Amino acid sequence: VPLIVVGLLLFCFCFSKESLAQNADTLEVKAPKSQPDYSHLPKNPKKATILSAILPGAGQVYNGKSWKVPLIYGGIITDVYFINFNNRRYQIFRQALADFDDELPNDFPSLNRDGLVRNVNYWRKSRDSCYLLLVGIYALNIIDANVDAHLSGFDVSDEIALKIEPHYESFSSNNRSVGVSLKLNF
C-alpha cells in the first residue's frame, strides 16, 4: 500500500504542469509568487488545511463544522473494516490456491484452479480499491476543510435572499392573473 501511495505521488509530480512546461531551449525566469492574503477571512484556509492533514476532522472543528467529524471517521472506520474483510478473504483464497498447487486438501474442494485464481484476484482488487477509497476520504477531508475556510467569509445573511412568492395582478375589473414571482433581495 505505501508503494501505491508513493507511486501516485511520483506520477503526479512527474506529470505536473511545471515539469512538462519546461523546455531546454527556452528557460523562463518567473517572478516569485506573492502569498495570498487571508486576513479578510474569519478562518485561515491554510491553517484549516494543515490541521485536517495532520488529524482528519481537525480542520472541520477549526471551521466550526464539528458535525462533519463523525461522517469523516464513520467513512474511515467503515473503509478500514472492508479493507480487513477483503484482506481476510484474499488470504483464505490465496492459501487455498497454494494448497491446490501443492496438491493438499483445501477449504474449497468444489473449485478448480481457475476458480481459485479468480477469487484471489477479485478479493485482492476489492482490498486495493478500499485502500484507494481511504486515500480519497482523507483527501476529501482536507479539501473540505480548505473550501469551508475559504467560504467562511461568504455573506449568507437574510439581506441576500432569493424568495419565491405568489403574484396577483389585475389588468381590469374582470381580468386577473395569478402566478409565481422570484424576488432577489440585496
Side-chain angles (χ1 to χ4, degrees), residues 36-99:
D37 181 26
Y38 299 124
S39 62
H40 65 283
L41 294 175
K43 303 292 182 183
N44 186 346
K46 186 176 181 180
K47 184 175 181 180
T49 304
I50 291 171
L51 285 171
S52 274
I54 293 171
L55 179 66
Q60 284 74 8
V61 171
Y62 169 74
N63 289 331
K65 304 286 175 116
S66 300
W67 62 271
K68 293 180 181 180
V69 175
L71 298 176
I72 293 168
Y73 281 100
I76 291 171
I77 290 169
T78 303
D79 196 46
V80 168
Y81 169 80
F82 280 108
I83 288 171
N84 187 27
F85 175 79
N86 289 328
N87 189 50
R88 280 184 283 139
R89 298 296 293 179
Y90 166 68
Q91 296 297 334
I92 289 169
F93 279 100
R94 197 176 86 179
Q95 184 60 46
L97 181 62
D99 290 345

Side-chain angles (χ1 to χ4, degrees), residues 2 10 27 54 87 110 114 133-134 140:
L10 285 174
L27 195 61
I54 293 171
N87 189 50
S110 62
D114 290 337
L133 180 62
L134 185 63
L140 192 60

Side-chain angles (χ1 to χ4, degrees), residues 5-186:
V5 174
V6 170
L8 288 173
L9 290 173
L10 285 174
F11 179 79
C12 292
F13 177 74
C14 290
F15 293 107
S16 68
K17 183 179 174 184
E18 285 122 10
S19 66
L20 292 176
Q22 196 173 45
N23 191 347
D25 297 336
T26 60
L27 195 61
E28 297 178 19
V29 177
K30 295 182 181 180
K33 295 180 182 178
S34 63
Q35 294 292 335
D37 181 26
Y38 299 124
S39 62
H40 65 283
L41 294 175
K43 303 292 182 183
N44 186 346
K46 186 176 181 180
K47 184 175 181 180
T49 304
I50 291 171
L51 285 171
S52 274
I54 293 171
L55 179 66
Q60 284 74 8
V61 171
Y62 169 74
N63 289 331
K65 304 286 175 116
S66 300
W67 62 271
K68 293 180 181 180
V69 175
L71 298 176
I72 293 168
Y73 281 100
I76 291 171
I77 290 169
T78 303
D79 196 46
V80 168
Y81 169 80
F82 280 108
I83 288 171
N84 187 27
F85 175 79
N86 289 328
N87 189 50
R88 280 184 283 139
R89 298 296 293 179
Y90 166 68
Q91 296 297 334
I92 289 169
F93 279 100
R94 197 176 86 179
Q95 184 60 46
L97 181 62
D99 290 345
F100 184 85
D101 289 342
D102 292 340
E103 297 178 1
L104 298 172
N106 63 46
D107 295 336
F108 306 99
S110 62
L111 291 177
N112 60 9
R113 188 174 198 295
D114 290 337
L116 291 171
V117 169
R118 273 194 309 271
N119 274 290
V120 167
N121 290 336
Y122 173 79
W123 293 108
R124 181 183 43 80
K125 286 178 186 177
S126 295
R127 181 200 60 189
D128 294 347
S129 296
C130 287
Y131 278 124
L132 290 176
L133 180 62
L134 185 63
V135 171
I137 292 170
Y138 179 73
L140 192 60
N141 153 62
I142 295 171
I143 292 168
D144 176 66
N146 184 288
V147 170
D148 200 26
H150 273 287
L151 294 177
S152 64
F154 188 73
D155 185 15
V156 290
S157 65
D158 290 336
E159 295 171 4
I160 300 175
L162 178 66
K163 296 179 183 176
I164 300 174
E165 296 178 348
H167 180 72
Y168 305 103
E169 192 169 321
S170 297
F171 295 114
S172 63
S173 63
N174 60 357
N175 190 4
R176 294 189 175 132
S177 69
V178 178
V180 177
S181 67
L182 294 172
K183 292 188 177 180
L184 180 61
N185 296 329
F186 291 101

